[in-house]
Each structure stands twice: as structure tokens, then as C-alpha cells.
Amino acid sequence: MPFVYIITIAISIISAFVLIRLAKMTGHVKIEDNQSKMIIRDSADDSSDEFLSGVLDKEIKGLVDSKEKQKEITEKLTMVLNKQIDEKVNSSTNSLTKKYEKIINEKVKSEDIAWKTYNKVLNDKRKTESVLRSVSEGVVVVDVKGNVLMLNPAAEKLLATSKKDKVGKSISDNIREEQVISLFKGETGSDQDIEVIGEGDETRKILKASSAVIENEDGQTIGMVSVLSDVTKQRELDRMKSQFVANVTHELRTPLIAIQKSIDILFNKKAGNISETQEQFLSLAARNLKRLRVLIDDLLDLAKLEGGQMQIKCKAHKIEDIVNESVETVNPWAGTKNIKIYIEIQDNLPKVYMDDSRIIQVLNNLLSNSIKFTPLEGSIRVIVSFVESKREFEISVKDTGIGIEQDKLNKAFDKFYQIGEKTPADISGTGIGLSVAKEIVELHGGRIWVESEKGKGSEFIFTLPYR
């Protein structure tokens, strides 16, 4: 029983000395053991061995009578306890050292990563600002609240403002409401023309604004960017060009009408009989005169479309009548190349709400284009159907012509662009027929596109909404 008591005391002392050793780094320590009623005080003047021996000697004295035995037990216990204390202290020290080294290393690593990230962002920002300063177009970036985040020098000049007066403030400050709407409320991805009026309404310039939404990684809208270009001179040149084309085409119509009437008089033999050969030449002249009138009409219509002057007068019409009239118009030309035109119209179609003369013009342009690029003895199909799921009519003109290369399909409806090499004996066109057709279809609220493969023919398709 006394030996067990000694071991218990020894364990208590080990724990106490572990705490004492660890606490030396922070100052003096006081520990009180209620069981033994002993007070251990760590002092800078006392050595651990002497202090430990004194405590053991005091506790063992009451249990062992022989002083030699007391001394022997005290020395052995002191040696064992010191060893245990050293091991525990070293273990705790090593554990704490590793723990704090890890924390310090992680902190240093995090700070290094943060610093590198900061430098990268700073460099990217400088590069972006450098690029924006050198861009000739104006660039304006706003957040979701409409406050300006970025404004390059070109935008400052175009909007007659300064970065220091706009950044951080609403884009609508000192800019008219209709200009703001054109800048940032229009359809993204499309160009908008806006008129900027200077002080006193004396200076006016037209800007082309192309806007796009800015999204974060989660797909949330965080702002919008708008690119501005000064197109004042370009728009004025376009207006002058349209006016010139309108005047020229109008003046050309007068002699054409005179030529047409002269040919009609000869055909009707009012000026005397004509031979079969003369009649053939007159037929050729009449046919080409008609095509020339179509080209002039296209030029005039293009001028009207660019000036926003073309009006669509829609009424309900049978699509079969429109298709038949258009095919009859181009059949003589198709006949000169032995090209067959087939009509396929879905049964029981409702009437189409449209401007019949304009849709005939579209069909004439599409059919003429197919005849031009279809070799001798080819074929053309005009197919009409109603797409119930989309509530729209779909009209297509499909030929067995030379086809269009894939990289040219997106240019098919560009103004003055020839989409392919015409077949021999065909006259050159102006390259505006398809462009005019596209504008007319879109004025009706429809769409037009082309599907083709080089050497395998083309199919031009347009839609008209059901009303």
C-alpha cells in the first residue's frame, strides 16, 4: 500500500513538472495539489533535480524509517521521474513546434499566393487599360445599376465627357434619355444608331453602338459593355448614295418605257409586218428589257429600304396565285435553258397575309437566281407548306445548280455580292436581288436563309407568319 501511494505521488509530480517545464517559456508558475497539500513553485534559482529530490524526500520520509532506504528510493524515483518528465516535455515541445511550423508555412504560402495573384491581376489590369487606350472606338462599361465602371479616351471624346466625371456615376448623367436607351437597352449583339447632340443643339453626330452583356462564371449578369463608333460621315455618304441611286433609277425608267412601247408596237405589227427572224430578235430584246427593268426596280427598292421609305401593304392572298404568277413570269427565261420548274403546294392552305407584289418580287429574285446558276436541262422546285408548330408558311426554291461553297453561305444576302460563278450565256447581275428579298421578307416578319453544297444545288427558304 505505501508503494502504491508512492507511485501515485510520482505520477502527480510528473504531471506537475511537465507543466512547469512547458510554462517556463511564459514566466513563473504556481501549481497546487489538493491531495498532497503541497505547493510547487518554479524558481529561476532552483534546479529541477534539487527541487524534485526535496519533494520526494519529504513525502517518503514518513513512509520509510531507514534514511539510507529513503535516500535510495528518492534517487531512483528522481532519476525515473526526470527521465519521464524530459520525454513528455520533449514530446510536447516537438508536437508544438511542428504544429506552429505548419501554421507558419501555410501562412507564408498563402501570402505568397495572394501576392502573386495580386501582381497578376494588376498586370492584367494595366494591359487591359493599355489596350483600351489604344482602341480607336469608344468603349463604355457599366454595372447592373447603370454606373460607369470604365471609359476609354475615345469614348470620352465621342460622348464629350471625362473619365473623372463619369466613372462611379450613372451613365444617364448629362446624357439624354433616348441616347441611354439606344446605348444599353437595345438588343444585345445588334448595332444601334444613336444621335449625340452637343451644347446648344449645334453639334450633332451619329454613333453606332454595339452592346453586349457581361456575365460572371455563374451566368449572372454583372454589367454591360458598349462599343461606340462615329459614323456621322458614313451615314451622310449613305444618304447621298441612296438619293443618287433613286434619282438615276427614276431617270432610267423613262427611256425604258419608251423602248418597251416601241417593241410592243412592232410585235403587234402596227408598224407593218415583220419576219420570223425579226420576231425572234424582238422577243430576245423584250425579254432582256424586262430583266433590265427588274434590276432597275431592285436598285430603286434598295434605296427605299436603306432610307426606310419602303411601305408594306398587306392583305390576305392565296399563296398558290402568287407562286403561279411568279413562275409564269420567269418560265420564258427558264425555257431558253430547257430548265423545268415544278410547283409543289400543300393542300388546303389558309390565305397568307402579305403584300402580294412584294412577295412576287421575292420569288422572282429567287427563281431568277436559280435559273442563272442552274446548267442546261436542270430543274427547279417551288415548295410551299404550312408549319403548324411554328404557325408560319414556309416557301422554298430548290434547284439542281452549281451550289454554293460553305464559306460563302453567310454572304449570300450581302449587298452587291455575287455568290457563285454564273453559267455560260447568262448576263451579269447587280448582286442586290437577294439582299432586297431578305429586306422584304423581314419587313413581313419572316426569315430567309440558304442551304447548299458545292456541286449539289441550292435551296433558298423563306417564311411568312400566319395572321
Side-chain angles (χ1 to χ4, degrees), residues 5 8-10 12-13 16 31-40 55 58-59:
Y5 182 66
T8 302
I9 294 173
S12 299
I13 293 172
I31 299 176
E32 182 174 341
D33 188 336
N34 292 328
Q35 183 180 1
S36 60
K37 302 298 182 181
M38 64 177 180
I39 297 176
I40 303 174
V55 173
K58 181 179 178 182
E59 294 295 329

Side-chain angles (χ1 to χ4, degrees), residues 281-298:
F281 279 112
L282 285 173
S283 297
L284 179 62
R287 185 166 62 249
N288 281 279
L289 180 63
K290 189 171 185 179
R291 291 174 62 188
L292 183 57
R293 290 185 62 181
V294 170
L295 294 178
I296 292 174
D297 287 342
D298 283 344

Side-chain angles (χ1 to χ4, degrees), residues 432-446:
I432 62 174
L434 293 178
S435 177
V436 171
K438 178 177 182 293
E439 296 285 352
I440 292 174
V441 169
E442 290 180 350
L443 282 174
H444 279 79

Side-chain angles (χ1 to χ4, degrees), residues 317-331:
H317 296 277
K318 290 184 177 180
I319 191 67
E320 303 97 301
D321 296 340
I322 304 300
V323 172
N324 289 328
E325 182 176 343
S326 181
V327 170
E328 288 176 6
T329 302
V330 299
N331 249 332

Side-chain angles (χ1 to χ4, degrees), residues 215-221:
E215 297 180 344
N216 60 15
E217 295 178 353
D218 298 326
Q220 296 176 328
T221 300

